[in-house]
Amino acid sequence: MSAPERIPPRSVTAAELLARGELTVRGQIRDASNAVLHCSVSHDGQEVLCVYKPVRGERPLWDFPDGTLAQREVAAYEVSEATGWGLVPPTVLRDGPYGEGMCQLWIEGVPGSELLALVDAEEPEPGWKAIGLAEVDEGRTALLVHADDERLRRLAVLDAVINNADRKGGHLLPAEGGRLYGIDHGVTFNTENKLRTLLWGWAGEPLTGEAVDVLRSLKETLGPSGALARRLAVLITAAELDATRARVDALLDSGKHPEPSGEWPAIPWPPV
């Protein structure tokens, strides 16, 4: 049996196929903290692989309302699409075999694209950005670094906008054609500052001109009558939407990448 096409024909977008197609569970991804099912979705002779996370399989969290992680994943995709950067795979909210949940296009990672590393040095080499020291053996530390990559820098801006509380190394997927995707955006859009990420290499540095232009566009579409605001209003609360607007305003006012607040662990654990 041949493998499903990974990208649907141009006549139907991936998001439309995910939303309309028949969802078939193929297996479970067992190392995830919440229920994550590996599926295929087919419609009108087209088929793709996807990830399905039913709401009923979400583990309760003390700092996020129960049963809201799937909506937050879709909201992160909507913001990503509004930036024009396409950093989050197509993601929809739909009914499935285990009830309503998030359905996201499966991305096959391409090996060999090194984005994170541990080095025995006090400063990163050219082409790398320092994250911080990490304990690798008892009594020995190494410098954790990430690539000085414009794709990662864009993702750092997106994470600051959506207030991503869990940007781990395993959530970075280099894909075919030089694309980079970020996945697992369930713990986002909190009204409190919870930014927790491995992408601190640009902390305090000026935003790129491209990022400033994108943030200005986001500010407009997040306005009361903006298209993005209308889409987010059915996925997150009014207070969370206002907090998103405030984060965009703060980034534009400072003109810089955010720095760790000191009020919340800056780096997720485990980092990968």
Side-chain angles (χ1 to χ4, degrees):
M1 180 177 178
S2 60
E5 296 176 274
R6 289 196 176 90
I7 300 176
R10 291 173 183 261
S11 58
V12 177
T13 69
E16 290 171 337
L17 183 53
L18 292 172
R20 299 177 188 173
E22 181 180 354
L23 198 59
T24 302
V25 176
R26 290 170 168 246
Q28 182 174 4
I29 300 173
R30 297 191 176 275
D31 58 352
S33 56
N34 298 298
V36 181
L37 302 175
H38 187 220
C39 303
S40 62
V41 60
S42 58
H43 176 71
D44 199 20
Q46 301 171 51
E47 187 176 44
V48 293
L49 298 177
C50 62
V51 169
Y52 164 51
K53 299 181 183 180
V55 171
R56 70 172 65 174
E58 294 178 4
R59 182 182 64 179
L61 299 172
W62 68 269
D63 52 349
F64 285 84
D66 292 350
T68 67
L69 305 191
Q71 292 93 324
R72 295 172 195 277
E73 295 239 33
V74 179
Y77 166 69
E78 294 289 357
V79 175
S80 169
E81 288 298 283
T83 66
W85 288 333
L87 295 169
V88 178
T91 312
V92 302
L93 193 66
R94 59 161 293 167
D95 195 30
Y98 299 100
E100 185 179 60
M102 174 278 264
C103 189
Q104 184 176 83
L105 186 69
W106 177 268
I107 300 297
E108 196 68 46
V110 176
S113 180
E114 193 173 19
L115 299 174
L116 298 166
L118 280 168
V119 296
D120 289 318
E122 295 183 358
E123 298 291 335
E125 295 182 355
W128 294 89
K129 289 285 194 178
I131 302 169
L133 293 173
E135 185 173 337
V136 291
D137 291 312
E138 187 175 347
R140 189 172 76 89
T141 60
L143 185 65
L144 181 61
V145 297
H146 66 67
D148 188 2
D149 186 310
E150 68 172 8
R151 301 170 302 171
L152 289 181
R153 191 165 190 172
R154 290 170 176 170
L155 194 57
V157 174
L158 176 67
D159 283 343
V161 171
I162 67 176
N163 197 16
N164 192 350
D166 195 30
R167 175 60 73 204
K168 296 177 180 177
H171 300 166
L172 306 173
L173 293 181
E176 293 178 355
R179 296 289 301 272
L180 176 71
Y181 292 98
I183 60 170
D184 285 350
H185 297 106
V187 286
T188 49
F189 296 99
N190 202 295
T191 56
E192 299 179 9
N193 180 12
K194 291 186 177 290
L195 184 59
R196 192 167 59 163
T197 176
L198 286 177
L199 304 180
W200 287 117
W202 298 280
E205 292 187 15
L207 296 165
T208 64
E210 177 195 46
V212 170
D213 289 342
V214 164
L215 289 167
R216 286 174 178 159
S217 178
L218 283 180
K219 180 181 176 68
E220 181 176 353
T221 194
L222 282 168
S225 60
L228 180 58
R230 292 195 300 272
R231 290 194 292 272
L232 294 184
V234 299
L235 298 168
I236 59 178
T237 68
E240 290 165 345
L241 181 52
D242 284 342
T244 303
R245 295 182 178 115
R247 289 191 295 271
V248 171
D249 287 342
L251 287 166
L252 286 170
D253 289 345
S254 71
K256 297 179 180 180
H257 286 268
E259 300 180 77
S261 67
E263 300 174 355
W264 178 258
I267 297 176
W269 188 262
V272 177

